[in-house]
């Protein structure tokens, strides 16, 4: 053999050995990830067993003969199979000539790497040649190298290299797999490298800096680097690892802090980074520019690797994500010793779980061995740990005179296997992890979706019969309306205490006299109008009866003396009711006491009605569907900065913003990750009325906004500064990804001042049924969420997740806008006509102007409100607003609370006599009006006059109401679906 040929062979062998070592390294990754156990007797892979393959070969002969006969073929069918593609070594690669015949393999274990090549043809060709050379070398050496020799004789691993027939050089994936598709589970490596030109936080020295990391979608723990003292350019080189699911919004927070020995550590700034900007299989070192002028930078290295794991089951509606939940059972077994007893307790904590913290008594007589196990519910694939806090006198491995905390990572626990984690002379502790039983959408107690619930859809079908008959009669139509021609008409009201309670009775009476009440499908209310609605819906057929009886009953309660509500017997009743409510599990506040006072104002005795009881009033579609409104607020935020519309119907309670709803009878119960965890008795309607009209949840900023249009003055002094910052290198941003942001805290004094401005004396708190949910990676692009995305933290998923962990803080909608429009603007309800019955004090047009502005900002179809200055100063009884260019915008009939022609007319077209003129002098607008919001009682005369005036205002504008109904029917007919030969064409 010549020297040159021998050298070439040696070079080829070295190249092949190097390539195989690379493959072996990749195989090692697989083995390390799989964590093969010593007693494994299972062959990893998803190939057919040898017996089934043998059967198929025999069966082919029968099938081939049958097909030849059935298809009347002249030649026998050939069994085409490329033997070169399946070498005996178990390492296969797609043959260049028969790559299309290689069977498609599903995967159980895999590792992927993504190569982003240049678009140049030379680089593409070079890449393709290298890839094919590697595949050829693997085939040549497969028979001589046994890569499975690292495993015991009981272990076996099949490695497949699959090459697609057509190369995509822009993004090609080389897959080393044991037959499974790519999952959404990744390992994130975050290496905190260094900071440059760190700002000074201490007066006499440089900052003592550390970096705290928080990724709430992956871990319940906040982790941090070590502290580098008195250094302007600290270097850490510390790495942290997370297991993440790419389907959820993973926002990593990097908080730069200055450690203080004698006071709370200073938060210098926080970087918010969207992990979705990283590419799987790549390492990237990013410099976050914190202060361009001072060249202050934070340098971090990221590696995102696809891991060999089965994807987690999730349930999502495109906004929220429900993840799999595991249960951790904890059992304790006490050992009773001679002359020894103890009252010590173990404290067990699983952060992020539903239960959070529970305790176990160490007394053998009361240990868990004599009763049920303690159970924790936690997110299965989240980095969670059980912290066991030992009392001072308990010995665990070492002697200690202080409390010790022992962490146990829950991710490493085998399922359905009992593990002993503590064994002591007096006590043994065992844990067992298991999956929760069901994980299907139908098993969730929170309904995900943006459609109307089934019950509401059934109600609308029944209600449509009443509406169609009424509209036909009112419009004097000759033919019956088709289903798609029946308009959806709704009433929206505003709050105003007893004034709105009384005035609403008059408006409904007027609609009933016009025979229009049965054309109404929805009634929405807030504050005082919810009192009217709750009273009416105690009667399942209230709209089918003449309303005079209900009005007389209301008159009795509105005109009675309210001082009796504070007698000793009544105060004892309040105390006992609040005590019972606490025992039921509710958090009580002054709002609950207010609800009991509302109950006294509207009833003679205890009212046991509940919201879900009102379903009887919709059972046959005989009444409009009531929708009650409240807003969810957040501590340290004004209502202008953060509020979320929450609607209540007899069927459901929920947020359209998130597409999450629960049954009305479950409101107030505790939920976790969409499951009902602890059922509380449904609240009586009086407590709901107290919450809907919770006027005591005001703050200083509310009064500021009454006088000024903007909070900008306070923002400059009290609000954290949040800005988009640059990255080096610049990472590609897709529409659903969030730009990197820098948050700089306002300072301790400013924060304290902000707390004073936004502090509320009391608020109604209820368990949050969104607790545990995470956000979908593309939630910001969801059209439903975008419609109601109106708060300052909506683009920060971490803050939304944090908010969901706290109770709902519910208040009167009037703290934001005195309106109950939002439920009627949901496109799924397809509302055509809205009768806006305004009962607010002060400016009559302000609520309408504010909702028009809100709809314009949110992109919600709504007609333009154009009124002259004269009309704004002296409004008429009714206005019709329509947007002819936008058929999706509803027709709005606006009824301000005014005394216009009622002064001279006691009925439409009937003038008052001189002796009756005094009855027309109803003052609803001056500061001395007897109908101000603070008035809880009216005289009988004032009650009757207000009812008569609002009744008259409806009756006197019958023509405008009929005109709106006619226009709505015409629109419906124009938008009717068109068919051609049975197919929908429009």
């Amino acid at each position: 053999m010549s020297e040159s040929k021998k050298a070439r062979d040696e070079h080829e062998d070295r190249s092949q050995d190097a390539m195989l070592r690379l493959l072996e390294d990749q195989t090692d990754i697989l083995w390390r990830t799989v964590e093969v156990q010593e007693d494994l007797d299972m062959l990893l892979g998803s190939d057919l067993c040898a017996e089934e393959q043998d059967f198929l070969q025999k069966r082919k002969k029968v099938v081939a003969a049958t097909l030849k006969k059935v298809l009347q073929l002249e030649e026998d069918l050939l069994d085409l199979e490329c033997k070169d593609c399946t070498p005996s070594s178990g390492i296969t690669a797609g043959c260049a000539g028969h790559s299309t015949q290689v069977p498609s393999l599903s995967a159980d274990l895999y590792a992927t790497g993504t190569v982003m090549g240049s678009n140049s043809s030379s680089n593409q060709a070079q890449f393709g040649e290298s890839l094919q050379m590697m595949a050829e070398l693997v085939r040549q050496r497969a028979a001589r190298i046994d890569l499975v020799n690292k495993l015991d004789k009981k272990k076996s691993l099949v490695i497949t290299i699959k090459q697609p027939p057509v190369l995509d050089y822009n993004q090609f994936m080389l897959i080393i797999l044991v037959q499974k598709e790519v999952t959404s589970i990744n390992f994130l490596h975050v290496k905190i490298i260094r900071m440059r030109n760190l700002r000074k936080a201490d007066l006499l020295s440089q900052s003592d800096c550390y970096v705290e990391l928080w990724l709430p979608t992956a871990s319940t723990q906040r982790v941090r680097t070590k502290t580098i003292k008195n250094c302007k350019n600290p270097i850490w080189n510390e790495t942290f690892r997370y297991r993440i699911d790419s389907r959820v919004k993973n926002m990593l927070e990097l908080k730069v802090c200055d450690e203080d020995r004698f006071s709370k550590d200073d938060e210098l700034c926080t970087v918010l980074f969207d992990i979705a900007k990283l590419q799987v299989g790549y390492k990237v070192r990013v410099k976050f520019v914190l202060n361009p002028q001072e060249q202050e930078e934070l340098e971090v290295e990221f590696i995102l690797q696809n891991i060999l794991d089965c994807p987690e089951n999730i349930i999502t509606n495109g906004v929220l994500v429900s993840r799999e939940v595991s249960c951790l059972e904890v059992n304790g077994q006490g050992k009773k010793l001679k002359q020894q007893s103890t009252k010590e307790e173990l404290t067990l904590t699983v952060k992020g779980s539903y239960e959070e913290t529970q305790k176990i008594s160490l007394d053998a007589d009361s240990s868990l061995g004599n009763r049920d196990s303690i159970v924790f519910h936690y997110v299965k694939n989240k980095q969670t740990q059980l912290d066991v806090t030992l009392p001072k006198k308990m010995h665990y491995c070492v002697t200690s005179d202080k409390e010790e905390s022992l962490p146990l990572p829950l991710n490493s626990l085998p399922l359905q296997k009992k593990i002993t984690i503590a064994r002591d002379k007096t006590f043994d502790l065992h844990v067992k992890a298991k999956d929760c039983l069901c994980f299907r959408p139908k098993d969730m107690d929170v309904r995900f979706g943006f459609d109307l619930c089934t019950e509401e859809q059934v109600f609308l079908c029944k209600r449509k019969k009443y509406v169609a008959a009424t509209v036909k009669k009112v419009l004097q139509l000759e033919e019956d309306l088709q289903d798609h021609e029946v308009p959806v008409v709704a009433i929206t009201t505003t709050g105003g205490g007893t004034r709105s309670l009384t005035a609403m009775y008059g408006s409904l009476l007027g609609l009933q006299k016009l025979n229009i009440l049965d054309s109404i499908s929805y009634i929405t209310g807030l504050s005082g109008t919810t009192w009217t609605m709750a009273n009416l819906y105690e009667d399942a057929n209230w709209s089918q009866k003449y309303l005079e009886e209900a009005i007389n009953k209301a008159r009795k309660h509105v005109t009675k003396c309210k001082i009796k509500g504070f007698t000793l017997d009544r105060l004892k009743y309040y105390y006992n009711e609040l005590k019972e409510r606490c025992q039921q599990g509710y958090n009580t506040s002054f709002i609950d006491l207010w609800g009991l006072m509302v109950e006294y104002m509207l009833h003679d005795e205890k009212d046991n009605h509940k919201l879900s009881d009102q379903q009887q009033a919709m059972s046959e579609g005989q009444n409009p569907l009531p929708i009650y409104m409240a807003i969810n607020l957040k501590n340290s935020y004004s209502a202008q900065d953060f509020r979320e519309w929450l609607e209540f119907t007899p069927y459901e309670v929920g947020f359209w913003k998130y597409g999450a709803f629960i049954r009305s009878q479950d409101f107030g119960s505790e939920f976790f990750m969409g499951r009902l965890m602890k059922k509380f008795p449904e609240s009586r309607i009086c407590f709901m009325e107290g919450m809907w009209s919770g006027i005591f949840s005001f703050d200083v900023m509310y009064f500021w906004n009454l006088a000024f249009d903007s909070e900008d003055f306070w923002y400059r002094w009290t609000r954290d500064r949040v800005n988009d910052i640059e990255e080096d290198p610049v990472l590609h941003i897709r529409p659903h990804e969030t730009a990197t942001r820098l948050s700089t805290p306002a300072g301790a004094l400013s924060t304290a001042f902000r707390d004073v401005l936004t502090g509320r004396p009391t608020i109604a708190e209820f368990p949050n049924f969104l607790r545990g949910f995470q956000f979908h990676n593309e939630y910001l692009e969801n059209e439903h969420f975008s419609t109601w995305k109106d708060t300052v933290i909506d683009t920060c998923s971490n803050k939304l997740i944090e908010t969901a962990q706290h109770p709902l803080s519910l208040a009167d909608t009037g703290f934001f806008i005195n309106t109950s429009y939002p439920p009627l603007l949901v496109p799924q309800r397809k509302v055509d006509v809205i009768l806006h019955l305004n009962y607010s004090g002060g400016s009559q047009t302000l609520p309408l102007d504010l909702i028009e502005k809100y709809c314009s900002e949110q992109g919600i179809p709504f007609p333009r409100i154009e009124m002259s200055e004269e009309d704004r100063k002296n409004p008429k009884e009714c206005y019709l607003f329509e947007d002819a260019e936008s058929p999706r915008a509803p027709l709005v009939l606006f009824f301000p609370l005014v005394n216009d022609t009622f002064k001279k007319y006691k009925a439409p077209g009937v003038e008052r006599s001189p002796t009756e003129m005094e009855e027309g002098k109803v003052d609803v607008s001056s500061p001395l009006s007897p109908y101000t919001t603070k008035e809880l009682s009216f005289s009988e005369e004032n009650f009757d006059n207000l009812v008569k005036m609002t009744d008259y205002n409806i009756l006197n504008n019958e023509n405008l109401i009929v005109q709106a109904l006619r226009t709505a029917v015409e629109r419906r007919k124009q938008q009717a679906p068109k068919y051609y030969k049975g197919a929908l064409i429009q």
Side-chain angles (χ1 to χ4, degrees), residues 459 463 466 518 533-545 547 550 553 609-610 612-626 650-651:
F459 157 78
R463 185 63 180 172
Y466 288 85
D518 275 344
M533 295 163 62
N535 281 354
L536 289 173
Y537 280 88
E538 290 178 7
D539 185 347
N541 297 289
W542 69 267
S543 67
Q544 305 304 309
K545 300 177 181 179
L547 285 175
K553 183 179 178 181
H609 285 92
K610 301 177 178 65
S612 62
D613 294 338
Q614 297 181 13
Q615 294 178 17
Q616 298 176 7
M618 269 70 64
S619 59
E620 300 300 327
Q622 68 270 35
N623 299 300
L625 178 67
Y651 302 125

Short mmCIF file of all heavy atoms in Angstrom, two decimals, residues 459 463 466 518 533-545 547 550 553 609-610 612-626 650-651:
data_model
loop_
_atom_site.label_atom_id
_atom_site.label_comp_id
_atom_site.label_asym_id
_atom_site.label_seq_id
_atom_site.Cartn_x
_atom_site.Cartn_y
_atom_site.Cartn_z
N PHE A 459 -81.81 30.79 26.30
CA PHE A 459 -82.71 31.88 26.70
C PHE A 459 -83.03 32.78 25.51
O PHE A 459 -84.19 33.16 25.30
CB PHE A 459 -82.07 32.70 27.82
CG PHE A 459 -82.61 34.09 27.92
CD1 PHE A 459 -83.84 34.34 28.52
CD2 PHE A 459 -81.91 35.17 27.39
CE1 PHE A 459 -84.35 35.63 28.59
CE2 PHE A 459 -82.41 36.46 27.46
CZ PHE A 459 -83.64 36.70 28.06
N ARG A 463 -86.55 33.91 24.17
CA ARG A 463 -86.91 35.32 24.25
C ARG A 463 -87.26 35.89 22.88
O ARG A 463 -88.07 36.83 22.77
CB ARG A 463 -85.74 36.11 24.86
CG ARG A 463 -86.04 37.60 25.12
CD ARG A 463 -87.15 37.78 26.12
NE ARG A 463 -87.45 39.19 26.38
CZ ARG A 463 -88.47 39.62 27.11
NH1 ARG A 463 -89.32 38.74 27.65
NH2 ARG A 463 -88.68 40.90 27.29
N TYR A 466 -90.95 36.32 22.11
CA TYR A 466 -91.59 37.50 22.70
C TYR A 466 -91.22 38.76 21.91
O TYR A 466 -92.08 39.61 21.63
CB TYR A 466 -91.15 37.67 24.16
CG TYR A 466 -91.73 36.68 25.12
CD1 TYR A 466 -91.14 35.44 25.31
CD2 TYR A 466 -92.87 36.97 25.85
CE1 TYR A 466 -91.67 34.52 26.21
CE2 TYR A 466 -93.41 36.07 26.75
CZ TYR A 466 -92.80 34.84 26.93
OH TYR A 466 -93.33 33.93 27.81
N ASP A 518 -91.55 44.01 26.27
CA ASP A 518 -91.31 42.64 25.82
C ASP A 518 -90.38 42.57 24.62
O ASP A 518 -90.03 41.46 24.18
CB ASP A 518 -92.64 41.96 25.47
CG ASP A 518 -93.31 41.36 26.69
OD1 ASP A 518 -92.61 41.19 27.72
OD2 ASP A 518 -94.51 41.05 26.64
N MET A 533 -83.29 46.05 39.95
CA MET A 533 -83.29 44.80 39.21
C MET A 533 -83.43 43.60 40.14
O MET A 533 -84.20 42.67 39.88
CB MET A 533 -82.01 44.69 38.38
CG MET A 533 -81.91 45.75 37.28
SD MET A 533 -80.24 45.96 36.62
CE MET A 533 -79.92 44.36 35.93
N ALA A 534 -82.68 43.62 41.25
CA ALA A 534 -82.75 42.50 42.19
C ALA A 534 -84.15 42.38 42.78
O ALA A 534 -84.65 41.26 42.98
CB ALA A 534 -81.72 42.68 43.29
N ASN A 535 -84.80 43.50 43.07
CA ASN A 535 -86.17 43.46 43.59
C ASN A 535 -87.13 42.88 42.57
O ASN A 535 -87.97 42.03 42.89
CB ASN A 535 -86.62 44.87 43.99
CG ASN A 535 -86.06 45.29 45.34
OD1 ASN A 535 -85.43 44.51 46.04
ND2 ASN A 535 -86.29 46.55 45.70
N LEU A 536 -87.02 43.33 41.33
CA LEU A 536 -87.94 42.87 40.29
C LEU A 536 -87.80 41.38 40.04
O LEU A 536 -88.80 40.66 39.87
CB LEU A 536 -87.70 43.65 39.00
CG LEU A 536 -88.14 45.12 39.00
CD1 LEU A 536 -87.69 45.81 37.72
CD2 LEU A 536 -89.65 45.24 39.16
N TYR A 537 -86.55 40.88 40.02
CA TYR A 537 -86.33 39.48 39.63
C TYR A 537 -86.59 38.50 40.76
O TYR A 537 -86.40 37.29 40.58
CB TYR A 537 -84.92 39.32 39.07
CG TYR A 537 -84.83 39.78 37.63
CD1 TYR A 537 -84.56 41.11 37.33
CD2 TYR A 537 -85.08 38.91 36.58
CE1 TYR A 537 -84.51 41.55 36.01
CE2 TYR A 537 -85.03 39.34 35.26
CZ TYR A 537 -84.75 40.66 34.99
OH TYR A 537 -84.72 41.08 33.68
N GLU A 538 -87.06 39.00 41.90
CA GLU A 538 -87.58 38.08 42.91
C GLU A 538 -88.88 37.44 42.42
O GLU A 538 -89.25 36.35 42.86
CB GLU A 538 -87.83 38.83 44.22
CG GLU A 538 -86.56 39.27 44.93
CD GLU A 538 -86.85 40.04 46.19
OE1 GLU A 538 -88.04 40.12 46.58
OE2 GLU A 538 -85.91 40.58 46.80
N ASP A 539 -89.58 38.14 41.51
CA ASP A 539 -90.80 37.63 40.90
C ASP A 539 -90.44 37.08 39.53
O ASP A 539 -89.95 37.81 38.66
CB ASP A 539 -91.82 38.76 40.78
CG ASP A 539 -93.17 38.28 40.26
OD1 ASP A 539 -93.25 37.13 39.75
OD2 ASP A 539 -94.14 39.05 40.33
N ALA A 540 -90.66 35.80 39.30
CA ALA A 540 -90.25 35.15 38.05
C ALA A 540 -91.04 35.66 36.84
O ALA A 540 -90.65 35.38 35.70
CB ALA A 540 -90.40 33.64 38.17
N ASN A 541 -92.12 36.40 37.05
CA ASN A 541 -92.94 36.89 35.93
C ASN A 541 -93.19 38.40 36.04
O ASN A 541 -94.25 38.89 35.66
CB ASN A 541 -94.28 36.15 35.89
CG ASN A 541 -94.12 34.66 35.63
OD1 ASN A 541 -93.78 34.24 34.53
ND2 ASN A 541 -94.35 33.86 36.67
N TRP A 542 -92.21 39.12 36.54
CA TRP A 542 -92.44 40.52 36.86
C TRP A 542 -92.84 41.36 35.63
O TRP A 542 -93.70 42.24 35.72
CB TRP A 542 -91.21 41.13 37.53
CG TRP A 542 -90.01 41.28 36.62
CD1 TRP A 542 -89.01 40.39 36.46
CD2 TRP A 542 -89.71 42.40 35.78
NE1 TRP A 542 -88.07 40.86 35.56
CE2 TRP A 542 -88.48 42.10 35.13
CE3 TRP A 542 -90.33 43.61 35.51
CZ2 TRP A 542 -87.88 42.97 34.22
CZ3 TRP A 542 -89.73 44.49 34.61
CH2 TRP A 542 -88.53 44.16 33.98
N SER A 543 -92.22 41.11 34.46
CA SER A 543 -92.51 41.96 33.29
C SER A 543 -93.84 41.61 32.65
O SER A 543 -94.34 42.36 31.80
CB SER A 543 -91.39 41.84 32.26
OG SER A 543 -91.36 40.53 31.69
N GLN A 544 -94.43 40.48 33.05
CA GLN A 544 -95.73 40.09 32.52
C GLN A 544 -96.87 40.60 33.39
O GLN A 544 -98.04 40.38 33.08
CB GLN A 544 -95.81 38.56 32.40
CG GLN A 544 -94.69 37.94 31.58
CD GLN A 544 -94.60 38.51 30.18
OE1 GLN A 544 -95.60 38.58 29.46
NE2 GLN A 544 -93.40 38.94 29.78
N LYS A 545 -96.51 41.26 34.48
CA LYS A 545 -97.50 41.85 35.39
C LYS A 545 -97.40 43.36 35.31
O LYS A 545 -96.36 43.92 34.95
CB LYS A 545 -97.24 41.38 36.83
CG LYS A 545 -97.31 39.88 37.03
CD LYS A 545 -96.97 39.52 38.46
CE LYS A 545 -97.01 38.01 38.69
NZ LYS A 545 -96.65 37.65 40.08
N LEU A 547 -96.64 46.88 36.49
CA LEU A 547 -95.59 47.26 37.41
C LEU A 547 -96.05 48.13 38.58
O LEU A 547 -95.26 48.42 39.47
CB LEU A 547 -94.48 47.99 36.65
CG LEU A 547 -93.57 47.10 35.80
CD1 LEU A 547 -92.59 47.94 35.00
CD2 LEU A 547 -92.81 46.12 36.67
N ALA A 550 -95.29 46.49 41.96
CA ALA A 550 -93.88 46.55 42.36
C ALA A 550 -93.48 47.95 42.76
O ALA A 550 -92.68 48.14 43.70
CB ALA A 550 -93.00 46.05 41.21
N LYS A 553 -94.69 48.75 46.25
CA LYS A 553 -93.85 48.08 47.24
C LYS A 553 -92.55 48.85 47.44
O LYS A 553 -92.09 49.02 48.58
CB LYS A 553 -93.57 46.65 46.79
CG LYS A 553 -92.76 45.83 47.77
CD LYS A 553 -92.54 44.41 47.25
CE LYS A 553 -91.69 43.60 48.21
NZ LYS A 553 -91.45 42.22 47.70
N HIS A 609 -82.96 35.45 48.91
CA HIS A 609 -82.78 35.26 47.47
C HIS A 609 -81.29 35.31 47.12
O HIS A 609 -80.49 36.01 47.75
CB HIS A 609 -83.53 36.33 46.69
CG HIS A 609 -85.02 36.12 46.66
ND1 HIS A 609 -85.86 36.67 47.58
CD2 HIS A 609 -85.79 35.39 45.82
CE1 HIS A 609 -87.10 36.31 47.32
NE2 HIS A 609 -87.09 35.53 46.26
N LYS A 610 -80.94 34.57 46.08
CA LYS A 610 -79.57 34.54 45.56
C LYS A 610 -79.60 34.84 44.07
O LYS A 610 -80.65 34.73 43.42
CB LYS A 610 -78.92 33.18 45.83
CG LYS A 610 -78.87 32.80 47.31
CD LYS A 610 -78.28 31.41 47.50
CE LYS A 610 -78.18 31.04 48.96
NZ LYS A 610 -79.52 30.94 49.59
N SER A 612 -78.38 33.17 41.56
CA SER A 612 -78.74 32.03 40.71
C SER A 612 -80.24 31.74 40.73
O SER A 612 -80.76 31.10 39.81
CB SER A 612 -77.97 30.78 41.15
OG SER A 612 -78.29 30.43 42.49
N ASP A 613 -80.95 32.20 41.77
CA ASP A 613 -82.40 32.00 41.82
C ASP A 613 -83.11 32.71 40.68
O ASP A 613 -84.22 32.33 40.30
CB ASP A 613 -82.97 32.50 43.16
CG ASP A 613 -82.47 31.69 44.35
OD1 ASP A 613 -82.06 30.52 44.13
OD2 ASP A 613 -82.48 32.22 45.47
N GLN A 614 -82.47 33.74 40.14
CA GLN A 614 -83.09 34.53 39.07
C GLN A 614 -83.16 33.75 37.75
O GLN A 614 -83.79 34.21 36.80
CB GLN A 614 -82.33 35.84 38.87
CG GLN A 614 -82.37 36.76 40.09
CD GLN A 614 -81.64 38.06 39.88
OE1 GLN A 614 -81.27 38.41 38.76
NE2 GLN A 614 -81.42 38.80 40.96
N GLN A 615 -82.54 32.59 37.69
CA GLN A 615 -82.67 31.75 36.49
C GLN A 615 -84.12 31.37 36.22
O GLN A 615 -84.52 31.19 35.06
CB GLN A 615 -81.82 30.49 36.64
CG GLN A 615 -80.32 30.75 36.70
CD GLN A 615 -79.52 29.47 36.89
OE1 GLN A 615 -80.01 28.37 36.67
NE2 GLN A 615 -78.26 29.61 37.30
N GLN A 616 -84.91 31.30 37.29
CA GLN A 616 -86.33 30.96 37.11
C GLN A 616 -87.05 32.03 36.30
O GLN A 616 -88.02 31.73 35.59
CB GLN A 616 -86.99 30.81 38.48
CG GLN A 616 -86.40 29.70 39.33
CD GLN A 616 -87.03 29.64 40.72
OE1 GLN A 616 -87.99 30.34 41.00
NE2 GLN A 616 -86.47 28.81 41.57
N ALA A 617 -86.59 33.28 36.40
CA ALA A 617 -87.23 34.37 35.68
C ALA A 617 -86.89 34.35 34.19
O ALA A 617 -87.46 35.15 33.42
CB ALA A 617 -86.82 35.71 36.29
N MET A 618 -85.95 33.48 33.79
CA MET A 618 -85.60 33.35 32.37
C MET A 618 -85.93 31.97 31.81
O MET A 618 -85.59 31.67 30.67
CB MET A 618 -84.09 33.61 32.18
CG MET A 618 -83.72 35.04 31.89
SD MET A 618 -83.95 36.09 33.30
CE MET A 618 -82.76 35.41 34.42
N SER A 619 -86.58 31.16 32.60
CA SER A 619 -86.78 29.76 32.21
C SER A 619 -87.56 29.61 30.91
O SER A 619 -87.30 28.70 30.12
CB SER A 619 -87.50 29.01 33.33
OG SER A 619 -88.76 29.63 33.61
N GLU A 620 -88.48 30.53 30.63
CA GLU A 620 -89.27 30.47 29.39
C GLU A 620 -89.05 31.70 28.52
O GLU A 620 -89.82 31.94 27.59
CB GLU A 620 -90.76 30.33 29.74
CG GLU A 620 -91.10 29.09 30.54
CD GLU A 620 -90.74 27.81 29.80
OE1 GLU A 620 -90.82 27.80 28.55
OE2 GLU A 620 -90.35 26.82 30.46
N GLY A 621 -88.02 32.48 28.85
CA GLY A 621 -87.75 33.70 28.08
C GLY A 621 -88.75 34.80 28.37
O GLY A 621 -88.90 35.73 27.57
N GLN A 622 -89.43 34.74 29.52
CA GLN A 622 -90.52 35.66 29.81
C GLN A 622 -90.06 37.04 30.25
O GLN A 622 -90.83 38.00 30.22
CB GLN A 622 -91.44 35.06 30.89
CG GLN A 622 -90.84 34.93 32.29
CD GLN A 622 -90.15 33.62 32.54
OE1 GLN A 622 -89.54 33.05 31.63
NE2 GLN A 622 -90.23 33.11 33.76
N ASN A 623 -88.77 37.19 30.65
CA ASN A 623 -88.23 38.48 31.08
C ASN A 623 -86.90 38.73 30.39
O ASN A 623 -86.24 37.78 29.93
CB ASN A 623 -88.01 38.49 32.60
CG ASN A 623 -89.27 38.27 33.38
OD1 ASN A 623 -90.22 39.04 33.27
ND2 ASN A 623 -89.32 37.19 34.18
N PRO A 624 -86.47 39.97 30.32
CA PRO A 624 -85.12 40.24 29.82
C PRO A 624 -84.07 39.62 30.73
O PRO A 624 -84.33 39.38 31.92
CB PRO A 624 -85.04 41.78 29.83
CG PRO A 624 -86.45 42.25 29.87
CD PRO A 624 -87.21 41.21 30.63
N LEU A 625 -82.89 39.37 30.19
CA LEU A 625 -81.80 38.82 30.98
C LEU A 625 -81.10 39.95 31.72
O LEU A 625 -80.61 40.90 31.10
CB LEU A 625 -80.79 38.10 30.07
CG LEU A 625 -79.56 37.52 30.76
CD1 LEU A 625 -79.95 36.37 31.67
CD2 LEU A 625 -78.53 37.05 29.74
N PRO A 626 -81.03 39.90 33.07
CA PRO A 626 -80.33 40.95 33.82
C PRO A 626 -78.83 40.72 33.84
O PRO A 626 -78.36 39.59 33.99
CB PRO A 626 -80.93 40.82 35.22
CG PRO A 626 -81.24 39.36 35.34
CD PRO A 626 -81.63 38.89 33.96
N PRO A 650 -77.56 35.66 36.02
CA PRO A 650 -78.03 34.52 36.81
C PRO A 650 -77.35 33.21 36.42
O PRO A 650 -77.40 32.24 37.18
CB PRO A 650 -79.53 34.48 36.50
CG PRO A 650 -79.87 35.89 36.14
CD PRO A 650 -78.67 36.40 35.40
N TYR A 651 -76.73 33.17 35.24
CA TYR A 651 -76.07 31.94 34.77
C TYR A 651 -74.58 31.91 35.11
O TYR A 651 -74.08 30.90 35.58
CB TYR A 651 -76.23 31.81 33.25
CG TYR A 651 -77.65 31.79 32.77
CD1 TYR A 651 -78.09 32.69 31.80
CD2 TYR A 651 -78.58 30.88 33.27
CE1 TYR A 651 -79.40 32.68 31.34
CE2 TYR A 651 -79.89 30.86 32.82
CZ TYR A 651 -80.29 31.76 31.85
OH TYR A 651 -81.58 31.75 31.42
#
